[in-house]
């Protein structure tokens, strides 16, 4: 058996010899419940459910230092952004851009940005966020950002550049500069 979520990444000689069976994705709420039943904290279960469906894999990721340190830095950045633009910028420079230079790190950081911005847009449109346990961060950020859809587009474009031979620090610096300067209502 061969499974994929992105058929375009499978070489044509393999695709031509396979039978395609399309299935619906598992509801994220079920994945989160299974993960929390397995002892994974709710906030991590909500985040990791976007990337993994297996609680055992989620537990393994939670044991990896890179995930927990990126998650913690990212949440500190968002919390600081609510209160103090300068502190948020400092966290970006000191904790995120300086530390996380591998493509694996870059993917996680940008995917977290996509998740949070997607949820902020969901709140803006009166929809339920996929990360409800982060409501204390999402709701105040809704008031901070202008042109959320354009900001999400910038993040998506940056995500597409990860597989190019690009300097991770420069890509993150450029992305955070755009987000912080162009899309924040009030910054000092």
């Amino acid at each position: 058996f061969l499974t994929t979520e992105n058929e375009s990444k499978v070489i044509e000689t393999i695709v031509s010899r396979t039978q395609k069976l399309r299935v619906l994705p598992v509801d994220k709420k079920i994945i989160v419940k299974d993960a929390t039943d397995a002892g994974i904290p709710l906030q991590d279960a909500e985040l990791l459910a976007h990337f993994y469906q297996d609680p055992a894999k989620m537990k393994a990721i939670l044991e990896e230092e890179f995930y927990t340190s990126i998650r913690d830095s990212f949440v500190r950045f968002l919390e600081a952004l609510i209160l103090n633009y300068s502190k948020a910028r400092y966290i970006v420079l000191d904790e995120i851009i300086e530390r996380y230079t591998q493509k694996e790190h870059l993917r996680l950081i940008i995917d977290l940005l996509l998740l949070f911005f997607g949820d902020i847009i969901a709140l803006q449109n009166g929809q339920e966020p996929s990360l409800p346990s982060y409501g204390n961060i999402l709701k105040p950020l809704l008031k901070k950002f202008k042109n959320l859809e354009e900001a999400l587009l910038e993040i998506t474009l940056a995500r597409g550049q990860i597989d190019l031979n690009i300097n991770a620090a420069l890509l993150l610096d450029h992305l955070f500069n755009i987000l912080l300067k162009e899309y924040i209502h009030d910054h000092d």
Side-chain angles (χ1 to χ4, degrees):
F1 287 100
L2 173 68
T3 61
T4 184
E5 290 182 3
N6 190 348
E7 185 180 329
S8 66
K9 295 221 175 191
V10 179
I11 59 174
E12 183 57 37
T13 55
I14 292 175
V15 171
S16 68
R17 292 170 175 79
T18 60
Q19 179 179 355
K20 296 177 190 171
L21 176 63
R22 301 196 188 282
V23 294
L24 291 173
V26 178
D27 185 338
K28 296 263 186 285
K29 291 178 182 177
I30 294 171
I31 298 170
V32 170
K33 183 184 180 323
D34 289 348
T36 55
D37 289 348
I40 295 170
L42 178 60
Q43 287 189 323
D44 286 310
E46 287 177 357
L47 285 175
L48 293 171
H50 290 274
F51 310 113
Y52 309 102
Q53 295 184 1
D54 178 25
K57 177 67 175 170
M58 290 181 187
K59 277 188 172 187
I61 294 297
L62 273 172
E63 293 173 5
E64 293 185 22
E65 190 272 332
F66 95 90
Y67 166 76
T68 55
S69 65
I70 288 174
R71 177 207 59 212
D72 292 347
S73 292
F74 188 78
V75 170
R76 272 193 299 281
F77 159 71
L78 293 175
E79 289 170 339
L81 191 55
I82 294 167
L83 302 172
N84 185 312
Y85 173 87
S86 297
K87 184 175 180 182
R89 182 71 185 137
Y90 175 79
I91 291 170
V92 165
L93 293 172
D94 188 58
E95 290 189 32
I96 297 176
I97 293 173
E98 287 294 319
R99 284 191 205 168
Y100 308 116
T101 58
Q102 297 177 11
K103 285 188 179 187
E104 180 180 26
H105 302 155
L106 191 58
R107 269 188 199 89
L108 180 57
I109 292 165
I110 293 177
D111 286 345
L112 289 173
L113 281 168
L114 287 168
L115 278 174
F116 277 85
F117 271 78
D119 269 9
I120 295 168
I121 291 172
L123 284 173
Q124 181 183 45
N125 294 326
Q127 299 170 342
E128 183 180 328
S130 65
L131 304 169
S133 67
Y134 285 93
N136 62 323
I137 294 174
L138 295 169
K139 289 174 185 166
L141 286 176
L142 176 59
K143 297 174 184 139
K144 283 286 206 185
F145 282 93
K146 56 185 177 179
N147 301 324
L148 283 164
E149 291 82 5
E150 290 178 32
L152 187 63
L153 177 61
E154 290 290 344
I155 299 166
T156 304
L157 291 172
R159 179 66 166 90
Q161 295 178 352
I162 292 174
D163 290 327
L164 303 176
N165 191 15
I166 193 161
N167 181 301
L170 289 176
L171 179 61
L172 283 176
D173 188 48
H174 173 73
L175 178 59
F176 279 106
N177 271 330
I178 288 173
L179 293 176
L180 292 173
K181 289 183 179 173
E182 299 289 327
Y183 301 110
I184 297 287
H185 280 298
D186 54 340
H187 54 77
D188 33 79

